[in-house]
Amino acid sequence: MAPDPTSANVLPGVVRPVGWLTRLANPATFLHFAALALPWFAGTTVLLFAVGLALALASPPDYQQGLTVLIMYLHVPAAWLAMMVYMVMTASALGTVVWRHPLADAAQKAAAPLGAGFTLICLATGSLWGKPMWGTWWVWDARLTSVLILFLIYLGLVAIWQVFEDQGRAARAAAIFTLTAVVIIPIIHFSVVWWNTLHQPASVFRMGGPSVAAAMLRPLMTMALAFTALFFTLHLMAVRNEILRRRLRRLAILRASGEER
Amino acid sequence: MNHDPHTGFIVAAYLIAAAVVATMVVAILIDHRSLKRQLRRFGDAGESRDARRR
């Protein structure tokens, strides 16, 4: 009989991470954890967005951007999340390649559309900020182009999961693609340093501290926390869906094999 | 804010972000409901079974 894809004890001889991570990585334990944690995660997300938006609306207009600075409270956190989600996927891809854990596959698959969503928000809000501030919707500079490539990578990963019927093969293909394409993250981060771009350099995480005024930094960081909480909430929900989908597939196979007999 | 010449851009940015977030949330919720419904057809209690097992 084929190994249970939802069991933590598949593929004998494969080295597993130890401790709490192993216990949480058991699909049944994860479903239990998700049921307990989701209301708290969702509540925290709503609260952080409410505080973040209130702080954003109360913040002063920028001396150069005016009220257009309000777009930054969406654009910057979305840009951070676009890269953070990819790092979560990279860690999951390592889980697939090194430990061949099915929950790592589920985490990878669940994160790709979310990463695409945050990157789309980053690109759309950046464009809507660029038109009044730069006088153009788009320029093919290093930062904008590399973020567009990240968006295409996310779409490619979503497509990989759709193309392969065998989810094990899809997981390995997606993991290898994710690990190969991770090079885009340092390229995005350092694009404003390595090349002469229209996009401004880092103004929060930089040597010498943030160059953003405290009145704007507070809503910005609160919105960044809200976006992060949103991602973890949605990721938890999406991983739960993947576990249920695998259970459904297993039940369908069992029923089909029972009917054949 | 009504007098800012770029109000349209700001409102559009917030509407697009809200639409993308709402799409992600609704897609995941619809997927979850569909999976639960299909699992019930197989007589599987889904998550509640795991919760009881613990």
Side-chain angles (χ1 to χ4, degrees), chain A residues 28-29 31-32 53 67-68 70 74 117 121 128 131-132 137 234 237 240-241 244-245 247-248 251 255, chain B residues 1 4 6 9-10 13-14 16 20 25 28-29 31-32 35 38-39 42 44 46-47 49-50 54:
Chain A
T29 313
L31 286 179
H32 179 69
L53 289 170
L67 283 174
T68 316
L70 286 170
L74 294 174
I121 293 175
L128 282 161
K131 182 61 181 170
W137 297 103
L234 294 179
M237 292 164 71
R240 181 181 64 177
N241 285 358
L244 296 181
R245 199 182 325 280
R247 175 176 291 168
L248 184 65
L251 289 171
R255 177 172 284 187
Chain B
M1 184 159 163
D4 192 275
H6 305 132
F9 293 98
I10 299 164
Y14 276 79
I16 287 173
V20 173
V25 173
I28 290 172
L29 287 175
D31 190 28
H32 184 67
L35 287 164
Q38 291 176 72
L39 277 168
F42 277 101
D44 185 294
E47 296 155 276
R49 188 186 69 178
D50 292 308
R54 293 186 56 79

Side-chain angles (χ1 to χ4, degrees), chain A residues 58-106:
Chain A
S59 70
D62 182 74
Y63 79 104
Q64 276 184 321
Q65 302 174 49
L67 283 174
T68 316
V69 73
L70 286 170
I71 297 176
M72 288 293 113
Y73 302 133
L74 294 174
H75 174 73
V76 177
W80 288 342
L81 260 292
M83 291 193 283
M84 195 199 84
V85 173
Y86 201 87
M87 295 319 293
V88 170
M89 285 180 58
T90 305
S92 303
L94 281 174
T96 297
V97 172
V98 179
W99 293 294
R100 298 189 197 174
H101 200 289
L103 205 62
D105 305 353

Side-chain angles (χ1 to χ4, degrees), chain A residues 125 129 150 206 219:
Chain A
T125 55
W129 181 88
L150 176 65
R206 60 193 278 277

Side-chain angles (χ1 to χ4, degrees), chain A residues 76 80 189 201-212 217 220-221 224:
Chain A
V76 177
W80 288 342
H189 184 73
S203 51
V204 178
F205 299 112
R206 60 193 278 277
M207 299 285 279
S211 59
V212 180
L217 196 59
L220 183 64
M221 297 311 286

Side-chain angles (χ1 to χ4, degrees), chain A residues 88-89 92 102-112 231 235 239 242 246:
Chain A
V88 170
M89 285 180 58
S92 303
L103 205 62
D105 305 353
Q108 247 198 106
K109 186 181 178 185
F231 165 67
H235 195 227
V239 172
E242 282 312 311
R246 283 154 198 230

